[in-house]
Structure formats: structure tokens, C-alpha cells
Amino acid sequence: MHSYCIKDKSNTESILMLNYFDRMECLERVNHPGSWVKEKYQEVQQLLEHEAKSDPNKLYEKKSKAVEILMEILEALTHCKETLCTVAAAITYLNIGILRADMEDTGFATECYKKCIDLLEDSKLTSEGILPAISGNNQLGLIYAQRGSYEEAKDFLKQAEDLYIKFTEDIKLDPVHMVSIMGIEEIEGNLCAKSILEKLHTLTLYYLAQVCRELDDKCNFALYCHRTLSKQLSQNKITQDLDYVDWALNAAAISQYFIEQDKFPQARHHLAAASCILEKYSEILKAKGTRETSEIIAAQYENYDHGSANIARCWAKYGIALLGASKERLMKQAEEEDQEDSKPAKVADKVYKYSQIEIMEDPRFVDLEPELESITNEVTDMYLLDFNDARPVFLNVRKWLDKAKEYYTFENHASDYAWIIQDLSQAYKYLAFFEDNEDRQARMHKRRIDILEEVIEDLDRARGNVFGDLGLED
């Protein structure tokens, strides 16, 4: 077991543990001699070992047999009215539900999860009850989401979230591992109960994010995604199992929500976090070897390259959106002031650089912030007021798109390459707005025409005049 899971016990804690083991004896008195419940649970564990490698037909048989054994345990536990037996029965219902759901019997699984939650009504915020209570609500949320009943799913997941918050912030006890309640010793090297609690909460947040997306609740979708990623970061200090590329892509995806809302400080923060995590992964890859070291490492480099290109495109979208939002803002300000000349220089001194829109919270990856400054310093998160503000953003956009083109080449990814060129054209268009000199404006628009015509000619040659869904922007 990891050292972080082990604490020195005070006298009070020792007494509590003795009381706990005294109560454990009730499981050995349940209608059977000795440690019958423990032995039956171990039998279930042995049945389901290495299930990923099992033949599908044999696996179904094994799960069916496991359910039969669990039903026997359940029958025995019904004769015991002590609290620990009730918790053990709830855990048994939970396990039956998980197995039946795997066997695509979601109706029966739903009833098992509900029975689990009902049995834990009086003990859901105890050390023994918290893990099965959260897990039961998570499982119900997942099943209802799969059925398309998103409001019902959200209700169960919110209950799971509330249980975690109350237990960790108000109760402040250590959870007890579910296998320990069944009399089975924890296996050294496996996650301890505290880590399982955090894993369950991460799942709650992840499921809530997906449900909010389906309910078109974009704000809470972004916030729950952020919390999920924050949890994954904190857990990685212990578990060392972070999928760096996936994490970075998800952080970059959240930034797109903030961009849509003109919340550029939050968008930049998430993009910087994505770049930071990807850089960490780059160092890990270098330590493993080169692309020629093995096929596995070569595939990891390919995954990294793909992720880097996509995050570069997200950064470019950020810059283009900032240019566009700044343009619209200046034009609106000029219109409101009823000025004939809408050039930025005439209104810049009366326009705030920061968005005045507030959101419910300012989601940040606190642990990463010291490492993000060097990245965030490369591009502003303030509205642009004139050409001197806009030019550095444009240059960054061009740099990011060049980075993306290293992976999305015309030869291998013609469609993506064409969209990248359109993004570059859009960036030139916005930059031209901030330029006072009409000759330079004209050259920028001429540059747009040239790069768009070039990609059309390339597509013409490659596709024989079939352009697919490529459409030029206005």
C-alpha cells in the first residue's frame, strides 16, 4: 500500500478501530460458521480475475455465477440487522448491479443500485457507507444518462457530489475500503480507501460534465470539465496514471467555451495549462527514447504530434477570436458614440481593455499557475485597441498555424490544411481592420486572396475540381 494511505493512529483512533473489528464479527455470525461471507466474496473475486482476457461467452457465464454467489451472500445478510451487515448488504447490491449492467440488464441493475442507496440512508455519511453511497449514485446517474434521461441522471450525480462535499468538508473521517467491510484484506499496491473516494468523485464530476453538455448547460459543462481535470492533476501525484495528451486536449477544448463567451483570461489560462502539460509529456517521451527506439514509443510520439497540432489550432482560434471580438467591440463603441470615423485610434482611449462580463467562478489550475507565466506572457488576454496591440496577436496566430501545418500537411490532411489556411486568411482580415494605412490594408487583403487561391489550386489538382465542403469566408 502506498505510504500516503497510512497514518499513525492515536489512542482514540485505535479504540475506534477495535470497535470496528468487534462489529466485523457480526459478519462471521451471519447464518454460517466462520468467515463464510469473506470466503464467498473471495470466490467472486477469483471468478472475475483477468476478465479482460476472457472469452466473451465464458465471461458471461462467470459473471452469471458471480451474481448467484452474491445473491447467496445477500440472502444470508438479510438475517443480520446490525449496521455493518446493512452496509455489507448495500455493497453486495452494488456489486450485483455492476455485474448485471455489464450483462446489459440495466433494469435489474437499476433496482439493485436503488436498493443499495436505500439501505445506506442512515449510514451514507459514515466511514463505511460513503464509498458505496457515492458509487451507487454514480452508477444510477450513468444508467439514466445512457437512457437519455439527463435530468434524472443529474439528480443522482448531484447527490453523489453533495455526499462527497459533506463527508470531506464536514464529517472529515477516513473512509473504509469496501473490501475491508467484507472481511478481505486490502492488497498491497492497490488504491487505498481515500484514493478510491477521490477517484469516485472524479467520476462524478466527469459524468456531470457530460450530462450538462447534453442539457446544453454550457457554463456548468465547462466548470465540471475543469473540476474533473483539476482532480486528475491532483490524483496523478499519487497514481502516476495521467493521460497527458488527453488531458491537454480536454483543457484546450474547455478554452473554446470561454472563447465563445469572450472570457479570454479563462480561455488563455486553460490553453496555457494544455501547453504546459504537453511539454511535460514531451520530456517524458524524450526520457523514453527516440521514435526509432520501438514501435510503441513511435506511436506515442505520433499521438504527441497530433495533440500538439490540435492545441496549436486551438491557440490560433483564441487569437483570431480575440482579434474579432476586439474589432466588434470597437465598432460598437464607435457606433454608440455616433462618430463618423470608426477607426480604433479615435475611440481607443474610451474602451476598456478587459471584459466587464463576470462569471460565477474563475476556474484555475492553482498547482500549475507558477509554471504558466512564461506561456501566458506570450499573448495578451486583454481586448485590443489598435494596430500595436493587434500585430503581436496576429504574429502568434501565424506561428501557431505554422506549427499546426507541420502535422496537418496538404499531402496527408488536405481538408484540415485548407481550414488552417482559411484561419490564416481570417487573421489577416481582422488585422487589416486595425491598420490605418490603406495601402497596407490592401496588401493584407491581397495576401488573403493569394493564400486562398493557392490552396484552391492545390485542391483542384488533388481532387479534380471536387472541393468537398470547403467554403471561403466572407
Side-chain angles (χ1 to χ4, degrees), residues 221-353:
F221 165 67
L223 294 178
Y224 277 119
C225 281
H226 172 85
R227 292 171 191 165
T228 303
L229 295 178
S230 293
K231 274 291 178 186
Q232 289 174 342
L233 275 184
S234 62
Q235 287 174 6
N236 191 55
K237 297 174 184 176
I238 299 167
T239 58
Q240 298 293 305
D241 61 354
L242 185 68
D243 185 331
Y244 287 83
V245 175
D246 186 63
W247 193 99
L249 289 172
N250 284 325
I254 298 172
S255 76
Q256 302 307 294
Y257 161 77
F258 291 117
I259 289 171
E260 290 174 6
Q261 304 300 314
D262 288 349
K263 296 177 174 64
F264 294 104
Q266 291 81 14
R268 185 182 68 166
H269 177 83
H270 283 76
L271 284 168
S275 294
C276 176
I277 290 297
L278 211 58
E279 181 59 32
K280 290 178 184 289
Y281 186 57
S282 173
E283 295 302 317
I284 292 172
L285 280 180
K286 289 174 184 175
K288 288 183 177 181
T290 65
R291 297 171 192 269
E292 291 73 31
T293 302
S294 71
E295 289 185 6
I296 293 175
I297 294 177
Q300 291 173 345
Y301 270 104
E302 166 66 18
N303 189 35
Y304 167 79
D305 291 341
H306 187 202
S308 296
N310 284 332
I311 288 170
R313 292 180 74 176
C314 287
W315 270 114
K317 293 290 186 185
Y318 168 88
I320 292 167
L322 183 57
L323 286 163
S326 299
K327 171 192 170 184
E328 294 300 321
R329 209 158 166 271
L330 290 168
M331 291 178 67
K332 183 178 180 181
Q333 181 74 18
E335 183 180 341
E336 289 174 353
E337 294 181 1
D338 196 28
Q339 293 183 357
E340 292 182 3
D341 188 353
S342 62
K343 290 295 180 182
K346 298 291 183 70
V347 296
D349 59 332
K350 296 184 179 180
V351 180
Y352 293 107
K353 280 198 168 189

Side-chain angles (χ1 to χ4, degrees), residues 92-360:
T92 306
Y93 271 115
L94 175 65
N95 286 322
I96 293 170
I98 291 171
L99 287 170
R100 294 306 301 181
D102 285 346
M103 298 162 73
E104 300 184 359
D105 185 358
T106 56
F108 188 75
T110 299
E111 295 307 312
C112 288
Y113 296 143
K114 288 182 177 179
K115 189 65 177 176
C116 166
I117 292 171
D118 289 343
L119 287 172
L120 294 170
E121 181 58 35
D122 296 329
S123 53
K124 59 190 176 186
L125 289 173
T126 64
S127 295
E128 297 86 0
I130 188 63
L131 295 182
I134 290 177
S135 185
N137 278 288
N138 275 354
Q139 294 294 340
L140 279 171
L142 181 59
I143 281 184
Y144 277 99
Q146 290 170 342
R147 292 174 181 170
S149 302
Y150 299 113
E151 288 292 353
E152 291 88 341
K154 186 178 179 181
D155 288 342
F156 285 111
L157 294 170
K158 288 294 292 182
Q159 288 180 50
E161 182 185 27
D162 290 343
L163 285 171
Y164 172 85
I165 292 170
K166 288 177 183 176
F167 187 80
T168 55
E169 295 183 4
D170 298 335
I171 307 299
K172 296 181 180 178
L173 292 174
D174 288 343
V176 174
H177 205 300
M178 284 188 272
V179 296
S180 299
I181 293 170
M182 310 313 297
I184 300 172
E185 292 183 8
E186 296 179 45
I187 300 173
E188 187 174 351
N190 282 3
L191 290 179
C192 69
K194 278 188 176 180
S195 294
I196 291 173
L197 177 63
E198 296 304 318
K199 282 278 189 182
L200 286 173
H201 185 54
T202 303
L203 282 175
T204 302
L205 298 174
Y206 175 77
Y207 294 152
L208 275 168
Q210 309 315 307
V211 166
C212 287
R213 180 181 61 186
E214 295 297 333
L215 292 171
D216 202 29
D217 183 355
K218 293 181 180 179
C219 180
N220 278 316
F221 165 67
L223 294 178
Y224 277 119
C225 281
H226 172 85
R227 292 171 191 165
T228 303
L229 295 178
S230 293
K231 274 291 178 186
Q232 289 174 342
L233 275 184
S234 62
Q235 287 174 6
N236 191 55
K237 297 174 184 176
I238 299 167
T239 58
Q240 298 293 305
D241 61 354
L242 185 68
D243 185 331
Y244 287 83
V245 175
D246 186 63
W247 193 99
L249 289 172
N250 284 325
I254 298 172
S255 76
Q256 302 307 294
Y257 161 77
F258 291 117
I259 289 171
E260 290 174 6
Q261 304 300 314
D262 288 349
K263 296 177 174 64
F264 294 104
Q266 291 81 14
R268 185 182 68 166
H269 177 83
H270 283 76
L271 284 168
S275 294
C276 176
I277 290 297
L278 211 58
E279 181 59 32
K280 290 178 184 289
Y281 186 57
S282 173
E283 295 302 317
I284 292 172
L285 280 180
K286 289 174 184 175
K288 288 183 177 181
T290 65
R291 297 171 192 269
E292 291 73 31
T293 302
S294 71
E295 289 185 6
I296 293 175
I297 294 177
Q300 291 173 345
Y301 270 104
E302 166 66 18
N303 189 35
Y304 167 79
D305 291 341
H306 187 202
S308 296
N310 284 332
I311 288 170
R313 292 180 74 176
C314 287
W315 270 114
K317 293 290 186 185
Y318 168 88
I320 292 167
L322 183 57
L323 286 163
S326 299
K327 171 192 170 184
E328 294 300 321
R329 209 158 166 271
L330 290 168
M331 291 178 67
K332 183 178 180 181
Q333 181 74 18
E335 183 180 341
E336 289 174 353
E337 294 181 1
D338 196 28
Q339 293 183 357
E340 292 182 3
D341 188 353
S342 62
K343 290 295 180 182
K346 298 291 183 70
V347 296
D349 59 332
K350 296 184 179 180
V351 180
Y352 293 107
K353 280 198 168 189
Y354 281 110
S355 169
Q356 303 302 299
I357 300 173
E358 298 295 331
I359 59 173
M360 289 186 298

